[in-house]
Amino acid sequence: MYDVAKNLHEVLRDLPDGVKLVAISKFHPNEYIEVAYNEGQRIFGESQEQELSRKVDTLPKDIEWHFIGHLQTNKVKYIAPYISMIEAVDSLKLLKEINKQAAKHNRVINVLLELHIAEEESKYGFSPDACRQLLEEGEWKNLRNVHIVGLMMMASNVDDQEQIRREMTIAADLFDELKAKYFADDADFKERSWGMSHDYKIAVECRSTMVRVGTTIFGPRIY
Ligand SMILES: *Cc1c(COP(=O)(O)O)cnc(C)c1O
């Protein structure tokens, strides 16, 4: 088994105060999650509803689960009772569905808007302009059971550190712009979720508040 405890502490040592670690446990078994949990880790991220539901049933109840993958609207109802953050909201339709399902459980679900800044076509998310437009149109303000608490993005999967830095800086600058324009009075709008195994050190330099690290902690995923 990968030395999950050692890897976890090494990643935590790299994070400045105020930067949270989301341990990305997708495709890893409960035993791995339990090791990290026993070391004090409480925030875990998963990207598939069925896998998450299985784990939620069998793991400690004080884990804060973040949904980090592309979420289909028809799956929201399954995670709405317990999910603590949905990180990758990429459409108004999804935002409305989360609001509707959260209301059924008398919950307010925290979400991040996912930005698409990377060059890869395959990634989901709002372009900066689409994100501005969504907030400007204002329909989100009527959604009482969903709370937008920040932005999330994945940088391009490249070796070029300067490109990664450029993309994360675009996201950080957009965060400032949106904070000033729409969330100046909302102290909860404060999260900048970027940085994965290969780029979390760059991310903390680019003002990430939340890194999502899987492989460095748990080892390669077996699909
Ligand atoms: C899988 C995944 C991660 C973690 O990636 P690693 O390279 O294993 O650290 C982070 N964010 C998202 C959105 C993911 O899907």
Side-chain angles (χ1 to χ4, degrees):
M1 183 168 169
Y2 240 66
D3 195 341
V4 169
K6 174 168 162 282
N7 299 337
L8 173 73
H9 289 296
E10 280 176 7
V11 171
L12 288 171
R13 253 197 308 277
D14 288 333
L15 303 181
D17 282 349
V19 178
K20 287 187 280 284
L21 171 64
V22 184
I24 304 301
S25 50
K26 63 189 187 193
F27 295 97
H28 291 294
N30 281 3
E31 297 81 74
Y32 280 41
I33 299 174
E34 282 160 354
V35 173
Y37 179 88
N38 289 332
E39 297 299 315
Q41 180 65 26
R42 289 295 179 273
I43 312 177
F44 291 86
E46 291 279 336
S47 60
Q48 305 222 349
E49 178 276 317
Q50 285 190 347
E51 180 181 3
L52 174 55
S53 293
R54 266 201 316 278
K55 288 174 172 174
V56 166
D57 283 344
T58 49
L59 285 161
K61 297 300 170 218
D62 62 339
I63 289 180
E64 291 174 40
W65 294 102
H66 285 206
F67 198 89
I68 59 157
H70 175 65
L71 181 58
Q72 290 170 286
T73 47
N74 62 354
K75 299 285 174 67
V76 175
K77 58 179 175 288
Y78 301 116
I79 66 172
Y82 64 83
I83 199 76
S84 79
M85 188 178 287
I86 296 175
E87 290 210 16
V89 172
D90 56 6
S91 69
L92 178 60
K93 180 167 168 246
L94 178 58
L95 196 64
K96 286 177 170 171
E97 180 64 15
I98 296 168
N99 183 64
K100 180 173 149 195
Q101 298 299 334
K104 288 186 186 166
H105 299 279
N106 278 317
R107 299 191 65 215
V108 176
I109 296 180
N110 287 336
V111 304
L112 305 177
L113 300 179
E114 180 178 13
L115 298 176
H116 180 150
I117 293 167
E119 280 166 7
E120 283 113 346
E121 296 266 325
S122 61
K123 293 198 161 77
Y124 292 100
F126 295 101
S127 68
D129 274 342
C131 190
R132 289 183 181 103
Q133 192 186 337
L134 173 90
L135 293 173
E136 186 58 34
E137 285 172 355
E139 204 174 339
W140 59 277
K141 290 179 191 163
N142 304 324
L143 307 175
R144 301 275 163 199
N145 293 81
V146 68
H147 195 168
I148 300 171
V149 297
L151 303 178
M152 176 269 203
M153 61 86 80
M154 261 188 282
S156 293
N157 187 13
V158 294
D159 291 328
D160 180 352
Q161 306 227 332
E162 284 317 306
Q163 181 178 347
I164 293 170
R165 203 177 289 281
R166 244 184 343 264
E167 293 176 1
M168 289 175 173
T169 302
I170 290 172
D173 290 348
L174 184 64
F175 175 92
D176 289 344
E177 175 190 325
L178 301 176
K179 174 81 185 168
K181 201 157 178 196
Y182 302 103
F183 299 96
D185 297 328
D186 183 358
D188 293 329
F189 186 88
K190 62 180 185 334
E191 302 298 353
R192 298 176 288 271
S193 175
W194 40 87
M196 305 164 51
S197 286
H198 73 285
D199 60 11
Y200 74 85
K201 292 180 188 171
I202 304 174
V204 296
E205 292 171 11
C206 296
R207 301 171 48 222
S208 173
T209 63
M210 201 180 265
V211 296
R212 309 179 307 266
V213 180
T215 310
T216 300
I217 299 169
F218 298 112
R221 289 178 281 273
I222 297 159
Y223 294 103

